[in-house]
Amino acid sequence: MRPTYLEVNLSQLKQNLENIRAHVAPAKVLVVLKANAYGHGVDGVAPFIAPFADYIGVAIVEEGIHLRKMGIATPILVMGGTLREQLPDFFEYDLTLAASSLDLLTAADQLAESTRKRIKTHLKIDTGMERIGVREYEAEALIEKSLACSQFVEVEGIFTHFANSEILEPLESPSLLGADSKLSDSKVKASLQLERFQEVLYIYEKRSEPQPAIRHTANSGATLSLPESYYDMVRPGVLFYGVYPARDIEKTIEVKPVLTWKSKVVYSKVTLPGRGVSYGSLWHTEAESRIATVPCGYADGYFRRNTNQGRVIINGKSYPQVGRVCMDQFMVNAGEDDIKVGDEVTLMGNGIAPEELANWAGTNEYEVMTNISARVPRVFVGAVQ
Ligand SMILES: *Cc1c(COP(=O)(O)O)cnc(C)c1O
């Protein structure tokens, strides 16, 4: 196997889920497996975790199909936008549709009736993202339609998604917002989104109709900090993978990262003083230094933006990444230490938090994890059931 690989600790992953479940009970837990299980490798994560999940969430229909082809039988909600021509796949693979417009729900109903096939759907209400979904002030028509659908359409759920759940109120910190602090006034608070969602639920009451059985709003941020958002189910993504969605959020649920990104020194040489290292010679040795080469680069998802920012651990010691990160390799300055070919290198985990990698590259942990490319094998450990 390739010396550069990602170790995924499945028992810690299960522990994270158990801790979340204990905190939100009796609410159900939808486990978010989109984007290759946030980069963890859905082929290993899904079969292991599916038996413990009430629902699975993916972003696109292809991810749902992939899970069904693997034999996953848990209900799967395709949370993202869907084109009308993708609807037949929902019937064929028993995927739950996020009904994000009146047109889409109408098309699904027509297809269900004409083919006499069943489909499950969750109505998608947009309370402040301006992404997909029907706004709370225009939701009545969608609900009316959902109540009038044929017997083949089961309106099982209704949901919304927060734009700012991870930011603690009051939302006044200008540093979070970049240059324009006036933006803070226009930020939609999770509590306001919740009120808008609640308005939509009142429509059912006014009509003496029961609300859909599964009402859900909470992503990781809300799962941690907004218990009134739980309703019948929560949808924690990054939190399930052991990462907190924001630096200053209260850690009301204990989780730990499950990834360790490892490699091995593939070359080790002593470089003369004053020599430039890597493309562009952006870093020079000051003294005679041991330069170790790690067979991992930006094509593996180790950001080029980490150049002269990153650090790794070799033989229990931290060393700086130096010179331009290349497509397939990067270099480390080991100074006077004796680093040998074959020595293990830790790129993430064991003392290097995903947060650190995010800081080096000026991004967030979500992108760090989902960016680790398919060229990096995933090795699953700790699968004790
Ligand atoms: C990705 C996603 C989530 C999970 O978000 P986290 O911030 O990772 O918890 C929840 N709901 C929807 C609709 C999503 O697209």
Side-chain angles (χ1 to χ4, degrees), residues 1-7 261-266 294-297 300 302 328 330 345 347 372 375-379:
M1 195 191 65
R2 198 181 161 196
T4 300
Y5 66 96
L6 203 57
E7 195 177 273
W261 195 353
K262 291 183 183 171
S263 188
K264 277 183 180 154
V265 172
V266 77
V294 181
C296 180
D300 299 299
Y302 197 83
D328 317 296
F330 68 79
V345 184
L347 284 65
I372 300 169
R375 198 168 75 172
V376 180
R378 271 67 172 172
V379 176

Side-chain angles (χ1 to χ4, degrees), residues 32 34 38 79 124 131 159 161 219-221 235-239 245 366:
V32 185
K34 66 186 176 188
Y38 282 49
M79 303 185 294
K124 178 66 197 287
R131 196 167 64 179
F159 72 115
H161 190 55
N219 56 2
S220 294
R235 307 188 305 266
V238 81
L239 190 68
Y366 294 69

